[in-house]
Structure formats: structure tokens, C-alpha cells
PDB file of all heavy atoms in Angstrom:
ATOM      1  N   PRO A   1      12.430   4.233  -4.397  1.00  0.00           N
ATOM      2  CA  PRO A   1      11.326   3.310  -4.147  1.00  0.00           C
ATOM      3  C   PRO A   1      10.124   3.947  -3.456  1.00  0.00           C
ATOM      4  O   PRO A   1       8.986   3.636  -3.794  1.00  0.00           O
ATOM      5  CB  PRO A   1      11.969   2.232  -3.250  1.00  0.00           C
ATOM      6  CG  PRO A   1      13.400   2.266  -3.616  1.00  0.00           C
ATOM      7  CD  PRO A   1      13.717   3.707  -3.902  1.00  0.00           C
ATOM      8  N   GLN A   2      10.372   4.874  -2.528  1.00  0.00           N
ATOM      9  CA  GLN A   2       9.248   5.473  -1.824  1.00  0.00           C
ATOM     10  C   GLN A   2       8.404   6.344  -2.764  1.00  0.00           C
ATOM     11  O   GLN A   2       7.181   6.440  -2.619  1.00  0.00           O
ATOM     12  CB  GLN A   2       9.724   6.287  -0.603  1.00  0.00           C
ATOM     13  CG  GLN A   2      10.663   7.441  -0.925  1.00  0.00           C
ATOM     14  CD  GLN A   2      12.116   7.051  -0.873  1.00  0.00           C
ATOM     15  OE1 GLN A   2      12.467   5.904  -1.148  1.00  0.00           O
ATOM     16  NE2 GLN A   2      12.981   7.999  -0.531  1.00  0.00           N
ATOM     17  N   ALA A   3       9.044   6.977  -3.760  1.00  0.00           N
ATOM     18  CA  ALA A   3       8.312   7.791  -4.726  1.00  0.00           C
ATOM     19  C   ALA A   3       7.482   6.915  -5.639  1.00  0.00           C
ATOM     20  O   ALA A   3       6.344   7.254  -5.987  1.00  0.00           O
ATOM     21  CB  ALA A   3       9.273   8.655  -5.526  1.00  0.00           C
ATOM     22  N   VAL A   4       8.035   5.783  -6.039  1.00  0.00           N
ATOM     23  CA  VAL A   4       7.301   4.861  -6.908  1.00  0.00           C
ATOM     24  C   VAL A   4       6.097   4.286  -6.171  1.00  0.00           C
ATOM     25  O   VAL A   4       4.996   4.197  -6.699  1.00  0.00           O
ATOM     26  CB  VAL A   4       8.207   3.727  -7.400  1.00  0.00           C
ATOM     27  CG1 VAL A   4       7.412   2.722  -8.219  1.00  0.00           C
ATOM     28  CG2 VAL A   4       9.360   4.288  -8.221  1.00  0.00           C
ATOM     29  N   GLU A   5       6.310   3.913  -4.880  1.00  0.00           N
ATOM     30  CA  GLU A   5       5.213   3.413  -4.060  1.00  0.00           C
ATOM     31  C   GLU A   5       4.137   4.488  -3.875  1.00  0.00           C
ATOM     32  O   GLU A   5       2.932   4.196  -3.895  1.00  0.00           O
ATOM     33  CB  GLU A   5       5.741   2.947  -2.716  1.00  0.00           C
ATOM     34  CG  GLU A   5       4.671   2.310  -1.824  1.00  0.00           C
ATOM     35  CD  GLU A   5       3.992   1.113  -2.448  1.00  0.00           C
ATOM     36  OE1 GLU A   5       4.627   0.408  -3.264  1.00  0.00           O
ATOM     37  OE2 GLU A   5       2.811   0.844  -2.106  1.00  0.00           O
ATOM     38  N   GLY A   6       4.584   5.737  -3.718  1.00  0.00           N
ATOM     39  CA  GLY A   6       3.612   6.829  -3.604  1.00  0.00           C
ATOM     40  C   GLY A   6       2.775   6.977  -4.867  1.00  0.00           C
ATOM     41  O   GLY A   6       1.560   7.238  -4.796  1.00  0.00           O
ATOM     42  N   ALA A   7       3.411   6.798  -6.013  1.00  0.00           N
ATOM     43  CA  ALA A   7       2.667   6.857  -7.274  1.00  0.00           C
ATOM     44  C   ALA A   7       1.636   5.724  -7.352  1.00  0.00           C
ATOM     45  O   ALA A   7       0.520   5.913  -7.814  1.00  0.00           O
ATOM     46  CB  ALA A   7       3.636   6.772  -8.450  1.00  0.00           C
ATOM     47  N   ARG A   8       2.041   4.530  -6.938  1.00  0.00           N
ATOM     48  CA  ARG A   8       1.114   3.392  -6.946  1.00  0.00           C
ATOM     49  C   ARG A   8      -0.114   3.638  -6.078  1.00  0.00           C
ATOM     50  O   ARG A   8      -1.197   3.139  -6.386  1.00  0.00           O
ATOM     51  CB  ARG A   8       1.847   2.143  -6.448  1.00  0.00           C
ATOM     52  CG  ARG A   8       2.707   1.441  -7.504  1.00  0.00           C
ATOM     53  CD  ARG A   8       3.288   0.164  -6.940  1.00  0.00           C
ATOM     54  NE  ARG A   8       3.876  -0.655  -7.977  1.00  0.00           N
ATOM     55  CZ  ARG A   8       3.200  -1.559  -8.702  1.00  0.00           C
ATOM     56  NH1 ARG A   8       1.912  -1.729  -8.501  1.00  0.00           N
ATOM     57  NH2 ARG A   8       3.819  -2.271  -9.623  1.00  0.00           N
ATOM     58  N   ARG A   9       0.058   4.381  -5.011  1.00  0.00           N
ATOM     59  CA  ARG A   9      -1.055   4.628  -4.092  1.00  0.00           C
ATOM     60  C   ARG A   9      -1.850   5.876  -4.427  1.00  0.00           C
ATOM     61  O   ARG A   9      -2.874   6.176  -3.792  1.00  0.00           O
ATOM     62  CB  ARG A   9      -0.516   4.740  -2.657  1.00  0.00           C
ATOM     63  CG  ARG A   9       0.079   3.463  -2.130  1.00  0.00           C
ATOM     64  CD  ARG A   9       0.577   3.629  -0.688  1.00  0.00           C
ATOM     65  NE  ARG A   9       1.141   2.415  -0.168  1.00  0.00           N
ATOM     66  CZ  ARG A   9       1.619   2.254   1.050  1.00  0.00           C
ATOM     67  NH1 ARG A   9       1.575   3.292   1.897  1.00  0.00           N
ATOM     68  NH2 ARG A   9       2.125   1.101   1.459  1.00  0.00           N
ATOM     69  N   SER A  10      -1.423   6.579  -5.450  1.00  0.00           N
ATOM     70  CA  SER A  10      -2.083   7.861  -5.773  1.00  0.00           C
ATOM     71  C   SER A  10      -3.352   7.622  -6.584  1.00  0.00           C
ATOM     72  O   SER A  10      -3.488   6.595  -7.243  1.00  0.00           O
ATOM     73  CB  SER A  10      -1.127   8.762  -6.570  1.00  0.00           C
ATOM     74  OG  SER A  10      -1.025   8.289  -7.916  1.00  0.00           O
ATOM     75  N   PRO A  11      -4.278   8.592  -6.548  1.00  0.00           N
ATOM     76  CA  PRO A  11      -5.511   8.467  -7.340  1.00  0.00           C
ATOM     77  C   PRO A  11      -5.243   8.398  -8.838  1.00  0.00           C
ATOM     78  O   PRO A  11      -6.103   7.920  -9.614  1.00  0.00           O
ATOM     79  CB  PRO A  11      -6.299   9.732  -6.949  1.00  0.00           C
ATOM     80  CG  PRO A  11      -5.722  10.180  -5.659  1.00  0.00           C
ATOM     81  CD  PRO A  11      -4.286   9.790  -5.681  1.00  0.00           C
ATOM     82  N   ALA A  12      -4.072   8.870  -9.269  1.00  0.00           N
ATOM     83  CA  ALA A  12      -3.772   8.899 -10.699  1.00  0.00           C
ATOM     84  C   ALA A  12      -3.225   7.565 -11.226  1.00  0.00           C
ATOM     85  O   ALA A  12      -3.041   7.416 -12.446  1.00  0.00           O
ATOM     86  CB  ALA A  12      -2.748  10.010 -10.986  1.00  0.00           C
ATOM     87  N   TRP A  13      -3.010   6.577 -10.333  1.00  0.00           N
ATOM     88  CA  TRP A  13      -2.358   5.363 -10.761  1.00  0.00           C
ATOM     89  C   TRP A  13      -3.107   4.624 -11.871  1.00  0.00           C
ATOM     90  O   TRP A  13      -2.508   4.197 -12.856  1.00  0.00           O
ATOM     91  CB  TRP A  13      -2.148   4.442  -9.548  1.00  0.00           C
ATOM     92  CG  TRP A  13      -1.456   3.151  -9.880  1.00  0.00           C
ATOM     93  CD1 TRP A  13      -1.938   1.896  -9.895  1.00  0.00           C
ATOM     94  CD2 TRP A  13      -0.062   3.014 -10.276  1.00  0.00           C
ATOM     95  NE1 TRP A  13      -0.997   0.990 -10.264  1.00  0.00           N
ATOM     96  CE2 TRP A  13       0.158   1.651 -10.506  1.00  0.00           C
ATOM     97  CE3 TRP A  13       0.978   3.922 -10.454  1.00  0.00           C
ATOM     98  CZ2 TRP A  13       1.400   1.144 -10.890  1.00  0.00           C
ATOM     99  CZ3 TRP A  13       2.222   3.436 -10.849  1.00  0.00           C
ATOM    100  CH2 TRP A  13       2.422   2.073 -11.067  1.00  0.00           C
ATOM    101  N   GLU A  14      -4.414   4.478 -11.717  1.00  0.00           N
ATOM    102  CA  GLU A  14      -5.163   3.776 -12.733  1.00  0.00           C
ATOM    103  C   GLU A  14      -5.123   4.466 -14.077  1.00  0.00           C
ATOM    104  O   GLU A  14      -5.072   3.824 -15.138  1.00  0.00           O
ATOM    105  CB  GLU A  14      -6.629   3.588 -12.271  1.00  0.00           C
ATOM    106  CG  GLU A  14      -6.788   2.592 -11.113  1.00  0.00           C
ATOM    107  CD  GLU A  14      -6.237   1.213 -11.442  1.00  0.00           C
ATOM    108  OE1 GLU A  14      -6.513   0.719 -12.562  1.00  0.00           O
ATOM    109  OE2 GLU A  14      -5.534   0.641 -10.588  1.00  0.00           O
ATOM    110  N   ASP A  15      -5.127   5.806 -14.051  1.00  0.00           N
ATOM    111  CA  ASP A  15      -5.028   6.552 -15.303  1.00  0.00           C
ATOM    112  C   ASP A  15      -3.651   6.366 -15.941  1.00  0.00           C
ATOM    113  O   ASP A  15      -3.540   6.293 -17.179  1.00  0.00           O
ATOM    114  CB  ASP A  15      -5.295   8.047 -15.061  1.00  0.00           C
ATOM    115  CG  ASP A  15      -6.771   8.319 -14.724  1.00  0.00           C
ATOM    116  OD1 ASP A  15      -7.608   7.541 -15.158  1.00  0.00           O
ATOM    117  OD2 ASP A  15      -7.007   9.313 -14.020  1.00  0.00           O
ATOM    118  N   MET A  16      -2.617   6.302 -15.111  1.00  0.00           N
ATOM    119  CA  MET A  16      -1.279   6.091 -15.650  1.00  0.00           C
ATOM    120  C   MET A  16      -1.183   4.696 -16.316  1.00  0.00           C
ATOM    121  O   MET A  16      -0.591   4.524 -17.373  1.00  0.00           O
ATOM    122  CB  MET A  16      -0.208   6.249 -14.566  1.00  0.00           C
ATOM    123  CG  MET A  16       0.015   7.689 -14.131  1.00  0.00           C
ATOM    124  SD  MET A  16       1.495   7.895 -13.091  1.00  0.00           S
ATOM    125  CE  MET A  16       0.822   7.369 -11.524  1.00  0.00           C
ATOM    126  N   LYS A  17      -1.792   3.703 -15.678  1.00  0.00           N
ATOM    127  CA  LYS A  17      -1.761   2.365 -16.240  1.00  0.00           C
ATOM    128  C   LYS A  17      -2.444   2.308 -17.609  1.00  0.00           C
ATOM    129  O   LYS A  17      -2.010   1.561 -18.505  1.00  0.00           O
ATOM    130  CB  LYS A  17      -2.420   1.376 -15.291  1.00  0.00           C
ATOM    131  CG  LYS A  17      -1.586   1.050 -14.074  1.00  0.00           C
ATOM    132  CD  LYS A  17      -2.378   0.312 -13.008  1.00  0.00           C
ATOM    133  CE  LYS A  17      -2.982  -0.989 -13.492  1.00  0.00           C
ATOM    134  NZ  LYS A  17      -3.721  -1.716 -12.408  1.00  0.00           N
ATOM    135  N   LYS A  18      -3.510   3.079 -17.767  1.00  0.00           N
ATOM    136  CA  LYS A  18      -4.246   3.079 -19.050  1.00  0.00           C
ATOM    137  C   LYS A  18      -3.365   3.508 -20.210  1.00  0.00           C
ATOM    138  O   LYS A  18      -3.597   3.075 -21.351  1.00  0.00           O
ATOM    139  CB  LYS A  18      -5.466   3.994 -18.944  1.00  0.00           C
ATOM    140  CG  LYS A  18      -6.585   3.489 -18.066  1.00  0.00           C
ATOM    141  CD  LYS A  18      -7.727   4.496 -17.991  1.00  0.00           C
ATOM    142  CE  LYS A  18      -8.811   4.005 -17.029  1.00  0.00           C
ATOM    143  NZ  LYS A  18      -9.881   5.043 -16.880  1.00  0.00           N
ATOM    144  N   ILE A  19      -2.403   4.400 -19.965  1.00  0.00           N
ATOM    145  CA  ILE A  19      -1.577   4.889 -21.070  1.00  0.00           C
ATOM    146  C   ILE A  19      -0.141   4.388 -20.950  1.00  0.00           C
ATOM    147  O   ILE A  19       0.775   4.986 -21.510  1.00  0.00           O
ATOM    148  CB  ILE A  19      -1.613   6.421 -21.151  1.00  0.00           C
ATOM    149  CG1 ILE A  19      -1.130   7.086 -19.842  1.00  0.00           C
ATOM    150  CG2 ILE A  19      -3.011   6.916 -21.511  1.00  0.00           C
ATOM    151  CD1 ILE A  19      -1.001   8.587 -19.948  1.00  0.00           C
ATOM    152  N   ALA A  20       0.049   3.255 -20.268  1.00  0.00           N
ATOM    153  CA  ALA A  20       1.389   2.716 -20.069  1.00  0.00           C
ATOM    154  C   ALA A  20       2.071   2.407 -21.409  1.00  0.00           C
ATOM    155  O   ALA A  20       3.292   2.533 -21.515  1.00  0.00           O
ATOM    156  CB  ALA A  20       1.315   1.441 -19.221  1.00  0.00           C
ATOM    157  N   HIS A  21       1.273   2.012 -22.413  1.00  0.00           N
ATOM    158  CA  HIS A  21       1.872   1.689 -23.708  1.00  0.00           C
ATOM    159  C   HIS A  21       2.576   2.890 -24.352  1.00  0.00           C
ATOM    160  O   HIS A  21       3.503   2.711 -25.130  1.00  0.00           O
ATOM    161  CB  HIS A  21       0.813   1.143 -24.659  1.00  0.00           C
ATOM    162  CG  HIS A  21      -0.305   2.113 -24.940  1.00  0.00           C
ATOM    163  ND1 HIS A  21      -1.284   2.405 -23.990  1.00  0.00           N
ATOM    164  CD2 HIS A  21      -0.607   2.838 -26.040  1.00  0.00           C
ATOM    165  CE1 HIS A  21      -2.111   3.271 -24.500  1.00  0.00           C
ATOM    166  NE2 HIS A  21      -1.737   3.546 -25.739  1.00  0.00           N
ATOM    167  N   THR A  22       2.137   4.093 -23.993  1.00  0.00           N
ATOM    168  CA  THR A  22       2.741   5.291 -24.594  1.00  0.00           C
ATOM    169  C   THR A  22       4.139   5.591 -24.017  1.00  0.00           C
ATOM    170  O   THR A  22       4.877   6.410 -24.581  1.00  0.00           O
ATOM    171  CB  THR A  22       1.858   6.522 -24.428  1.00  0.00           C
ATOM    172  OG1 THR A  22       1.750   6.885 -23.057  1.00  0.00           O
ATOM    173  CG2 THR A  22       0.475   6.287 -25.013  1.00  0.00           C
ATOM    174  N   LEU A  23       4.520   4.890 -22.942  1.00  0.00           N
ATOM    175  CA  LEU A  23       5.868   5.047 -22.450  1.00  0.00           C
ATOM    176  C   LEU A  23       6.882   4.564 -23.490  1.00  0.00           C
ATOM    177  O   LEU A  23       8.004   5.105 -23.558  1.00  0.00           O
ATOM    178  CB  LEU A  23       6.038   4.260 -21.144  1.00  0.00           C
ATOM    179  CG  LEU A  23       5.230   4.806 -19.952  1.00  0.00           C
ATOM    180  CD1 LEU A  23       5.322   3.836 -18.772  1.00  0.00           C
ATOM    181  CD2 LEU A  23       5.693   6.199 -19.564  1.00  0.00           C
ATOM    182  N   CYS A  24       6.510   3.596 -24.279  1.00  0.00           N
ATOM    183  CA  CYS A  24       7.377   3.145 -25.365  1.00  0.00           C
ATOM    184  C   CYS A  24       7.513   4.253 -26.412  1.00  0.00           C
ATOM    185  O   CYS A  24       8.569   4.350 -27.096  1.00  0.00           O
ATOM    186  CB  CYS A  24       6.830   1.866 -26.002  1.00  0.00           C
ATOM    187  SG  CYS A  24       6.819   0.457 -24.881  1.00  0.00           S
ATOM    188  N   TYR A  25       6.490   5.084 -26.573  1.00  0.00           N
ATOM    189  CA  TYR A  25       6.588   6.206 -27.503  1.00  0.00           C
ATOM    190  C   TYR A  25       7.590   7.234 -26.995  1.00  0.00           C
ATOM    191  O   TYR A  25       8.403   7.783 -27.762  1.00  0.00           O
ATOM    192  CB  TYR A  25       5.218   6.873 -27.682  1.00  0.00           C
ATOM    193  CG  TYR A  25       4.117   5.991 -28.187  1.00  0.00           C
ATOM    194  CD1 TYR A  25       2.800   6.452 -28.248  1.00  0.00           C
ATOM    195  CD2 TYR A  25       4.342   4.672 -28.582  1.00  0.00           C
ATOM    196  CE1 TYR A  25       1.767   5.649 -28.696  1.00  0.00           C
ATOM    197  CE2 TYR A  25       3.303   3.884 -29.034  1.00  0.00           C
ATOM    198  CZ  TYR A  25       2.003   4.373 -29.092  1.00  0.00           C
ATOM    199  OH  TYR A  25       0.989   3.585 -29.544  1.00  0.00           O
ATOM    200  N   ASP A  26       7.553   7.482 -25.677  1.00  0.00           N
ATOM    201  CA  ASP A  26       8.477   8.461 -25.112  1.00  0.00           C
ATOM    202  C   ASP A  26       9.911   7.985 -25.219  1.00  0.00           C
ATOM    203  O   ASP A  26      10.805   8.798 -25.513  1.00  0.00           O
ATOM    204  CB  ASP A  26       8.107   8.735 -23.651  1.00  0.00           C
ATOM    205  CG  ASP A  26       6.852   9.600 -23.522  1.00  0.00           C
ATOM    206  OD1 ASP A  26       6.923  10.759 -23.849  1.00  0.00           O
ATOM    207  OD2 ASP A  26       5.807   9.065 -23.083  1.00  0.00           O
TER     208      ASP A  26
END
């Protein structure tokens, strides 16, 4: 949980959300 929360607070979070649909590709 602490790593996931760290990801949410990171500057890269918004960029990760933009390509969330590609997680289904992976």
C-alpha cells in the first residue's frame, strides 16, 4: 500500500492515468 500511495503522489501519476487503458494490453 505504501508504494501505491507513493505512486499516487508522484509527478508521474497524471501521465500514468492517461495510459491506464493500455494496462489491459499488457
Side-chain angles (χ1 to χ4, degrees):
Q2 61 269 30
V4 177
E5 183 59 29
R8 279 184 168 273
R9 295 181 179 182
S10 75
W13 181 249
E14 290 303 315
D15 290 332
M16 287 191 281
K17 286 168 58 178
K18 289 178 184 176
I19 59 173
H21 61 288
T22 66
L23 293 172
C24 295
Y25 302 173
D26 286 290

